[in-house]
Amino acid sequence: MRHRHGTAWRQAGRKPAEATPPLVLSHREDNTQRIAAMNEAAEALGLRVGLGIADARAMHPDLEVLEADPVGDERLLTRLADWCDHFTPLVAIDGYDGLLLDISGCAHLFGGEDALLQEVVRRLAAQGFDARAGLAPTPGMAWAAARFSGRAAVNIPAGGEGEALTPMPLAALRIAEEAQRKLESVGLRRVGALLNAPRGPLVRRFGRLLVTRLDQALGLVEEAISPRLPVPPLSVERRLGEPISLLDDIKDLLLLLARTLRQDLERRGEGVRQLTLSLFRVDGVVSRISVSTSRPLREPQAIALLFREKFAVLEDSLDPGQGFELVRLAAASTAPYVEKQEDLHGDAVVVEDERFSLMVDRLRARLGDAAVMMPTPAESHIPERQAEFMSFRDWVRQPARSGAHRFVMNGRGSGGAAAAVQQEEVTWSVSPRPLRLLARPELVEAAAEVPEGPPFSFRWRKALYRVSRAEGPERIEPEWWREAAISAARDYFRVEDMEGRRFWLFREGTYDGETMPRWYLHGLFP
């Protein structure tokens, strides 16, 4: 089946009303304000794009002139591209004023190619756009048909490219203005004059691009389009006869789509790693909500739980407008799925690791990927450097680890350093490393026995603590091979105050008579 390409050309932005006065948009070119675009009323006066604003006003003093807004136009074109996902996932932005759609295999969903073409033009007009659309077997022919056919919507059949191109100007071939002027200077003013011309002289005199563009339009040379968004491997959708706007209705529909998606995933032996829910509003606005999973997932209830966490955050900002007419659930990323043994009720047996992963995925869906971090060992013996943190999603892709999961939320708390130190026997129940390690050691005022004794009191954050018992020192030498190494050896002590609170302190430096050592609090024990 041949690919069919459609292109929509936004001719003058908003569709003008009958009583609209002549209006042009201006932009600066060669230190002169020139016409960048105009409405139909201005075009009827004989004005043209590129004409100086001063000359245009001299001819028509009542002409209304506004400054062009390229950034706003780009934003609007991107929004229209989002809306065109309603028809096909293969949508590319074509320059500053057009969209290119690959509708291969999609036209039957709308009643055929002609019905789809008319639907696109009709709905763009309902949104206030004066658009021209062309449908053809090649992108080049569709581009030319939309801009130079003189019709609001035209469908070029396969094999009819040459006939359609014959009366069109040279600009229909997407060649530079300089090349057009050279061709016109020798009497070649229409594409039809080039169709049967010898290719050799054309290439020698006007360059290879001219022949390439001609062959692309005729389908003799393949031309690929680059979709603005990656095409998901799997997607399911529901087109609604009556738009929905209630969040509960969206959640119910999401669960139905997740069940349909599960069937497709089972056939492929895969689970999803990233999901995108697209909500298409009646007025063309598209809302996209994405969630990611740490492990391949296909259970509909689990998928619904992740999106419920997202909805809890977006509920106030998700504007349904006049309602959503299309809801699509796409598996943006998939991975092989390991089947699980079912119990007597037919439900898959969920192991503890999966429950933990689902709980973390729900936290990430509500709070963001950076909200849950996992510690990983680093090549350092300095306590604050012995662990680095990565997102949970990246952490689970590392080689399997044994033992209970330990995680950090919002950068608080760290158990990563404990993995590098073997358990020691102590006279009282305290671990060799604190459960909470401060991100940076905090300076304290300490009174201690000299020269190597533990502190018997210290002041931290304006509070005084009296030590009842202590153990240490444990000496940690600096990393002399690193530029950012600590400057001196550290002597660590595990101490307990009169009220049973336990701390991890260290002394940096020694009592040598010239300089006094400094004391720091580095962690807290439970």
Side-chain angles (χ1 to χ4, degrees):
M1 178 179 179
R2 294 193 59 147
H3 290 284
R4 296 290 285 173
H5 298 85
T7 182
W9 180 37
R10 185 170 53 86
Q11 194 173 39
R14 292 292 175 181
K15 185 177 181 180
E18 294 183 0
T20 301
L23 170 67
V24 299
L25 300 180
S26 70
H27 71 123
R28 181 168 291 278
E29 180 182 343
D30 299 331
N31 294 324
T32 303
Q33 288 294 117
R34 300 184 181 275
I35 296 178
M38 68 189 79
N39 64 2
E40 290 181 352
E43 190 175 8
L45 297 177
L47 301 178
R48 57 180 175 81
V49 173
L51 181 67
I53 295 297
D55 295 335
R57 275 182 166 157
M59 292 185 290
H60 305 284
D62 296 334
L63 184 67
E64 185 177 355
V65 179
L66 296 178
E67 186 72 22
D69 182 11
V71 176
D73 289 344
E74 182 180 359
R75 226 174 11 244
L76 179 61
L77 195 61
T78 301
R79 173 184 161 183
L80 287 177
D82 285 336
W83 174 78
C84 284
D85 285 346
H86 184 282
F87 302 98
T88 173
L90 294 170
V91 180
I93 293 180
D94 182 27
Y96 66 91
D97 62 353
L99 298 171
L100 188 62
L101 285 66
D102 188 340
I103 62 168
S104 304
C106 302
H108 69 281
L109 300 174
F110 302 89
E113 293 180 350
D114 289 328
L116 186 149
L117 190 63
Q118 296 298 330
E119 178 72 4
V120 171
V121 174
R122 182 187 66 80
R123 298 195 60 176
L124 285 173
Q127 296 182 43
F129 295 100
D130 182 20
R132 301 290 183 265
L135 185 62
T138 66
M141 186 66 250
W143 188 94
R147 289 165 169 80
F148 299 101
S149 68
R151 298 161 58 184
V154 58
N155 186 356
I156 307 299
E161 298 90 343
E163 182 181 353
L165 283 171
T166 297
M168 292 185 181
L170 299 176
L173 294 180
R174 299 174 293 170
I175 58 177
E177 292 184 5
E178 182 180 356
Q180 295 178 39
R181 287 194 295 267
K182 289 181 179 180
L183 288 165
E184 291 172 354
S185 67
V186 296
L188 302 175
R189 300 181 180 278
R190 298 289 172 181
V191 178
L194 304 176
L195 292 178
N196 298 319
R199 297 300 179 87
L202 287 178
V203 172
R204 286 194 300 270
R205 188 164 184 178
F206 303 105
R208 172 67 62 180
L209 181 61
L210 172 63
V211 174
T212 300
R213 288 301 194 191
L214 183 60
D215 288 343
Q216 286 176 341
L218 295 173
L220 302 177
V221 173
E222 291 290 336
E223 181 181 2
I225 66 171
S226 300
R228 53 185 295 270
L229 297 175
V231 180
L234 286 174
S235 66
V236 291
E237 63 183 41
R238 181 68 61 89
R239 299 178 186 274
L240 305 170
E242 292 292 334
I244 60 175
S245 56
L246 297 179
L247 189 58
D248 290 340
D249 293 337
I250 298 174
K251 292 177 181 178
D252 293 341
L253 187 54
L254 169 65
L255 187 58
L256 293 176
L257 294 176
R259 289 170 179 165
T260 304
L261 185 63
R262 177 179 181 174
Q263 299 173 5
D264 296 333
L265 290 168
E266 288 175 345
R267 283 193 292 268
R268 296 164 60 106
E270 295 177 339
V272 296
R273 293 298 299 267
Q274 186 173 354
L275 287 155
T276 300
L277 180 67
S278 301
L279 304 172
F280 294 79
R281 266 178 21 183
V282 174
D283 59 358
V285 177
V286 182
S287 299
R288 287 188 172 88
I289 305 170
S290 297
V291 298
S292 59
T293 67
S294 53
R295 298 177 185 272
L297 188 68
R298 66 167 62 152
E299 289 74 20
Q301 293 291 347
I303 292 174
L305 278 176
L306 296 182
F307 277 103
R308 285 179 185 272
E309 300 296 343
K310 276 287 188 180
F311 289 142
V313 179
L314 302 174
E315 186 172 3
D316 294 335
S317 59
L318 187 62
D319 182 11
Q322 297 178 356
F324 300 108
E325 61 177 352
L326 172 65
V327 179
R328 177 183 298 154
L329 180 64
S333 176
T334 62
Y337 184 87
V338 179
E339 298 287 347
K340 301 296 189 303
Q341 177 66 42
E342 294 184 349
D343 59 17
L344 295 178
H345 297 285
D347 298 327
V349 178
V350 181
V351 298
E352 186 64 28
D353 282 353
E354 292 178 351
R355 292 191 181 94
F356 177 80
S357 297
L358 181 58
M359 182 269 291
V360 175
D361 287 341
R362 293 179 64 184
L363 289 173
R364 291 170 51 236
R366 181 182 284 261
L367 304 175
D369 283 339
V372 182
M373 309 293 287
M374 298 296 293
T376 58
E379 295 181 354
S380 176
H381 64 270
I382 305 301
E384 63 267 29
R385 296 177 184 160
Q386 285 183 343
E388 297 176 348
F389 294 95
M390 65 174 59
S391 67
F392 181 80
R393 182 184 180 186
D394 295 334
W395 182 86
V396 296
R397 296 180 180 178
Q398 303 296 316
R401 295 175 173 85
S402 60
H405 293 294
R406 308 180 73 175
F407 65 95
V408 179
M409 290 187 58
N410 296 329
R412 293 171 170 258
S414 171
V421 180
Q422 186 177 359
Q423 179 71 37
E424 301 175 7
E425 286 213 15
V426 293
T427 56
W428 35 290
S429 178
V430 68
S431 61
R433 290 292 185 268
L435 181 62
R436 181 183 178 186
L437 191 69
L438 301 182
R440 294 181 179 179
E442 297 186 12
L443 188 66
V444 298
E445 299 175 8
E449 302 174 5
V450 293
E452 302 292 339
F456 52 80
S457 69
F458 64 93
R459 187 179 299 275
W460 175 53
R461 295 181 180 178
K462 300 182 180 181
L464 180 64
Y465 300 89
R466 298 188 181 278
V467 177
S468 61
R469 48 183 175 174
E471 183 178 89
E474 173 193 353
R475 174 156 293 186
I476 297 180
E477 295 288 346
E479 296 173 329
W480 53 267
W481 61 90
R482 293 181 56 173
E483 295 181 1
I486 58 177
S487 58
R490 296 176 177 178
D491 289 330
Y492 278 86
F493 294 88
R494 295 184 289 275
V495 304
E496 181 178 306
D497 71 352
M498 297 296 185
E499 299 182 10
R501 292 169 294 203
R502 296 168 178 174
F503 306 90
W504 202 38
L505 297 95
F506 70 84
R507 179 184 61 233
E508 187 176 77
T510 58
Y511 295 91
D512 57 8
E514 296 181 2
T515 59
M516 297 293 291
R518 292 181 296 180
W519 286 85
Y520 294 87
L521 178 68
H522 203 169
L524 305 174
F525 293 96

